Amino acid sequence: MTRLTAVAACLAAALILAGCAEPRPLPTPTPTATEAVESTGDGVLRIGALLSMGGDVTTVSPGMVAAIEVAARDINAAGGVLGVPVETFYRDAGAIDSDQLEAGFAELVARGVDVVVGPAAPALLERLLPLAAEAGVVVLASAAPSPTVGSATPAGSLVRTIPAVDRQAVAIAQSLVDDRVGSIAVIAATDAQGLTVVDSVRAVLDGSTTSLTAVERADGNTTPNRLAFSVASAEPDTIIVAADRLTTQQTADIVAALLDRGVRAEQLWFTSTAVADYSTTLPGAALDGTRGVREGADAGEQFTVRLLQSDPRLDTVRFAAETYDAVVLAALAATIAEDDGGVSIARAIRTAMTGGVVCGSFGECLDALDNDQTVNYDGVSGPLDIDEVGDIVGAELSVLRYDASNRPQPDGALSLRP
């Protein structure tokens, strides 16, 4: 049995708690946006994790599992949700070409989970969302950054703790406008998600002195030289590379073609899906000065140590901070709603991060709630602001700058403004 399979099979037992209904709003003469939410919980907040234990996103799964375990321990150490410890369950989401996701989700539903974390692969997340909506389970997306994932699902079925690619491009564009950069080109995917990226950047530039001089759409069939000729001919000051469906090698081929056309490394900005180690795919110092963004702030040494205590063999802690925060927010939402049901959590989760007393842990937030105060959870991944449909509109992003070895290194932070 592999370590990942063993991790996927683990679960933490919990006690049982009687749920309470969320108070119904007082009747008003005219309709309001607030609706009564009937209690659907059974008294126990159950966190499910549906993560791929094989395939391209396998490397991030152990760190995400460790983050869930650390969060659950912190919540339970503070007294649990409404006085009872949370339960955690893990199942394998499988590969994109298998039906393991559906089987794993069915098993989680049979266990009575209220929320599900994952999966990290956008294609799997897209398949999960309609199943979760039908089951009344909230999906917490702490890894998959696809911008249009879940657009057809009921509002509240998906809650992000990771900014989507279009939001990352917006943060870059905002900073370029602030710096009075004259012109921008965007390289985005050929699908609907790529269109969302382009439209989002165009909205940022509207009314500014920064112009959008070129838009190119890229996928696995794109000819790098043709794309590079079109982009370079527009002579943009900065090029945002946000084609999230490209492999590292395909991105490297496009970048190499741009550099051959005279584009300088410092003119390039990568969203997180383009950020990678290019030390073996591009010639030496080709990307020296290129910048990129990655979701979330630096998790920090203390949090990383705690993750390693949970799993000493972790290779990466990417998405761990966002996963930890997703679990804490679900617990806070259940506490605020006084109900562990998925519908109640979806309705209350925005309340846990909007206004009120700023708190950095479940215990600290719980103390504020016990004193009848509203809370604003700012967690390990930094402050978050989501809209009414669960998409992040405000966050802190890590900035990376490539060195002479074509490897990204930490270089500060960038704020995404609502």
Side-chain angles (χ1 to χ4, degrees):
M1 178 181 289
T2 66
R3 176 169 64 91
L4 290 177
T5 303
V7 170
C10 76
L11 60 85
L15 302 175
I16 296 178
L17 164 70
C20 301
E22 182 182 355
R24 295 180 177 273
L26 294 174
T28 57
T30 57
T32 68
T34 302
E35 299 175 5
V37 177
E38 211 170 299
S39 175
T40 59
D42 62 359
V44 181
L45 175 60
R46 297 182 177 89
I47 308 290
L50 197 54
L51 302 170
S52 290
M53 302 304 170
D56 293 339
V57 293
T58 299
T59 55
V60 301
S61 297
M64 295 173 70
V65 169
I68 293 170
E69 288 299 301
V70 172
R73 286 198 293 269
D74 287 349
I75 294 165
N76 292 340
V81 174
L82 301 176
V84 174
V86 301
E87 293 182 357
T88 55
F89 300 90
Y90 304 89
R91 292 297 182 272
D92 188 356
I96 294 174
D97 57 356
S98 77
D99 59 0
Q100 182 61 45
L101 177 134
E102 287 76 11
F105 180 69
E107 292 176 9
L108 290 175
V109 170
R111 292 284 188 175
V113 300
D114 303 294
V115 299
V116 169
V117 177
L124 292 177
L125 185 58
E126 290 171 3
R127 281 165 50 188
L128 172 63
L129 287 171
L131 302 176
E134 183 178 358
V137 173
V138 178
V139 177
L140 303 175
S142 61
S146 298
T148 57
V149 161
S151 59
T153 63
S157 297
L158 172 70
V159 176
R160 295 183 184 276
T161 55
I162 173 178
V165 173
D166 63 317
R167 296 291 91 195
Q168 296 174 24
V170 163
I172 296 171
Q174 287 175 340
S175 71
L176 295 174
V177 169
D178 291 344
D179 291 341
R180 299 186 180 278
V181 170
S183 59
I184 296 174
V186 175
I187 300 174
T190 57
D191 55 12
Q193 298 175 14
L195 180 61
T196 301
V197 170
V198 174
D199 288 344
S200 298
V201 171
R202 185 174 282 117
V204 173
L205 303 187
D206 186 34
S208 75
T209 58
T210 304
S211 60
L212 184 60
T213 59
V215 172
E216 283 295 323
R217 312 289 291 279
D219 59 22
N221 297 317
T222 296
T223 302
N225 288 332
R226 182 207 58 79
L227 181 147
F229 174 78
S230 178
V231 172
S233 297
E235 299 183 350
D237 295 316
T238 301
I239 302 169
I240 300 175
V241 181
D244 63 313
R245 301 287 176 148
L246 297 179
T247 65
T248 299
Q249 184 60 59
Q250 289 166 344
T251 301
D253 291 342
I254 289 174
V255 168
L258 288 169
L259 296 175
D260 286 343
R261 290 285 177 180
V263 173
R264 303 184 310 279
E266 57 268 25
Q267 290 178 260
L268 299 173
W269 265 100
F270 292 164
T271 58
S272 66
T273 52
V275 171
D277 183 341
Y278 293 97
S279 60
T280 61
T281 52
L282 288 171
L287 287 180
D288 192 7
T290 293
R291 288 167 292 178
V293 294
R294 183 166 279 171
E295 57 285 334
D298 183 359
E301 182 178 353
Q302 183 177 1
F303 181 63
T304 300
V305 167
R306 299 190 65 204
L307 294 171
L308 289 170
Q309 289 172 343
S310 181
D311 185 350
R313 295 170 292 179
L314 289 180
D315 295 324
T316 177
V317 297
R318 189 177 181 193
F319 304 128
E322 291 79 12
T323 300
Y324 177 95
D325 288 343
V327 174
V328 171
L329 283 168
L332 287 173
T335 302
I336 291 168
E338 298 184 346
D339 176 35
D340 59 271
V343 175
S344 296
I345 289 172
R347 292 294 300 272
I349 202 163
R350 190 181 184 195
T351 305
M353 61 176 79
T354 306
V357 176
V358 176
C359 45
S361 68
F362 179 79
E364 187 180 351
C365 292
L366 192 61
D367 288 341
L369 291 172
D370 287 343
N371 289 317
D372 296 323
Q373 296 174 307
T374 57
V375 296
N376 182 356
Y377 174 70
D378 285 354
V380 181
S381 64
L384 298 175
D385 187 8
I386 66 172
D387 61 17
E388 62 278 359
V389 297
D391 282 329
I392 288 184
V393 293
E396 185 175 340
L397 303 174
S398 296
V399 174
L400 305 170
R401 185 182 295 269
Y402 280 81
D403 60 18
S405 68
N406 296 329
R407 292 184 175 94
Q409 305 297 337
D411 190 43
L414 193 65
S415 295
L416 168 65
R417 303 190 298 270

